[in-house]
Amino acid sequence: MPVDHANPPAAWPWQGGWLQTARACHSPNFGARPAGARIDLVVIHSISLPPGGYGGPEVEQLFTNQLDWTAHPYFEQIRGLEVSAHFFIRRDGELVQFVDADARAWHAGASCWRGRGQCNDDSIGIELEGLEGERFEVAQYATLARLCVHLKERYPIAHIAGHEHIAPGRKQDPGSGFNWSELQTRLGWSSGCFPPDTPT
Ligand SMILES: [Zn+2]
């Protein structure tokens, strides 16, 4: 059902492009979307720093350009990286927001989906705390599904894909441990919204 943005319902969870149910952690890594961008894509990622390490402050530090590159050997490999996602979902389901969803975050890189390139221009990036090939927590699916519902209240979301789908051969996240059927079942959205190899 379309939402009248001039008269949002009482439980409207958005303040501009900031979701009030998320903990805000402002990233400087963002820009304006192209004029007229139709924000109809959600991109699912996975990240953990160092890889496989959960619960620490490193992902938030990376997205806010505060990571100490000398703190772990792996960090030397990503030294100087300036990236961001709109949202981050921790293993316990906590939701963190780094970038105004109306703005362009830096998560997709060279990419193409639903016939359009430069997916950062018109997508929402969601990072799940995790590791490619490993499973994700039930609490993360619950938060992810709630987030997708809220996104669809504000944006014309019609597609959800993994980074691995929009940048095949270059990216592998969220990987085989992500259960697309679980997300589809929780959302109840048509299979056409999901990557074509999603089992139904
Ligand atoms: Zn990714």
Side-chain angles (χ1 to χ4, degrees), residues 75-143:
F75 300 162
E76 293 289 350
Q77 299 179 32
I78 57 171
R79 178 184 278 274
L81 194 65
E82 292 187 350
V83 291
S84 63
H86 294 94
F87 295 96
F88 177 49
I89 300 175
R90 289 189 168 278
R91 301 297 289 186
D92 63 1
E94 186 194 14
L95 181 62
V96 182
Q97 182 170 3
F98 296 96
V99 172
D100 184 328
D102 290 353
R104 182 182 184 276
W106 303 346
H107 57 96
S111 51
C112 184
W113 194 246
R114 72 320 189 201
R116 309 212 299 268
Q118 300 295 330
C119 293
N120 279 337
D121 286 349
D122 44 18
S123 71
I124 304 286
I126 303 173
E127 297 274 2
L128 303 176
E129 188 174 25
L131 191 64
E132 291 155 18
E134 290 196 359
R135 297 164 66 100
F136 295 85
E137 301 289 345
V138 171
Q140 292 181 292
Y141 288 101
T143 296

Side-chain angles (χ1 to χ4, degrees), residues 43-46 107 127 163 171 173:
V43 180
I44 308 289
H45 303 258
S46 63
H107 57 96
E127 297 274 2
H163 204 185
K171 292 291 178 180
D173 62 308

Side-chain angles (χ1 to χ4, degrees), residues 156-177:
I157 303 297
H159 308 275
I160 305 181
H163 204 185
E164 62 194 292
H165 300 105
I166 70 167
R170 190 174 69 82
K171 292 291 178 180
Q172 288 84 41
D173 62 308
S176 59

